[in-house]
Amino acid sequence: MGSFLFPHFIPSGGAGGLTVLLNYWFSLPMSIGLFIINASMLLIAVHYLGTSSAIGTLVGITGTSIAVNLFEVYVHLSFQNVWIDLFIGSITLGIGVGLLLRQGVSHGGIGILALIISKARRIPPGKPLFLINGVIFIIISYIINWQIVVQAVICQWFSTKIIDWIFHLHVPPNVLSFLQPQFRKK
């Protein structure tokens, strides 16, 4: 997000959209705005998803905010082409969020609401995530620029497809067995 999406003011999702609005209105750094929005959603995670999910979400929120700050300030990977950056940003966003949601935790923000709806309705989390973020994008289009929203919707569509694919990906247990310590029998 910090390298590919935020430099073009493309919101990566609902929390990202609200972060872009905070930056637009108050010149609040993106990483700080993202942390504030995500931390406020943590109370909802504790209530609806339980303490272990909330702790995982807190780790995800903190990691995301630190990574956004590092990439926004120190690492400039952007291709300076909005469409290439949009494509790469959507892929990395989808993979990261998909891996977190697969573990029952969220990267914060609207992902928490999507995970709650997903668990309650037994549906993939990408669909509610897309709908909630769409409403936020409409607000951004009215306040900032409608062209950003077109890019944000493309980003959301592509990344939520990746999220749902990763969420339902079946990995046989023996494929990852090399990650477990092997002890010799005596």
Side-chain angles (χ1 to χ4, degrees), residues 1 21 45 55 121 127 140 142 153:
M1 293 183 297
L21 287 173
I55 291 170
R121 299 203 177 234
K127 289 177 176 66
I140 291 171
Y142 180 74
V153 169

Side-chain angles (χ1 to χ4, degrees), residues 17 22 44 49 59 90 101 132 138 156 159 167 174 178 183-184:
L22 288 174
I44 295 171
L49 300 175
V59 170
S90 299
L101 292 175
I132 296 168
I138 290 170
Q156 274 300 292
S159 64
F167 190 78
N174 59 354
F178 68 91
F183 299 102
R184 293 188 324 201

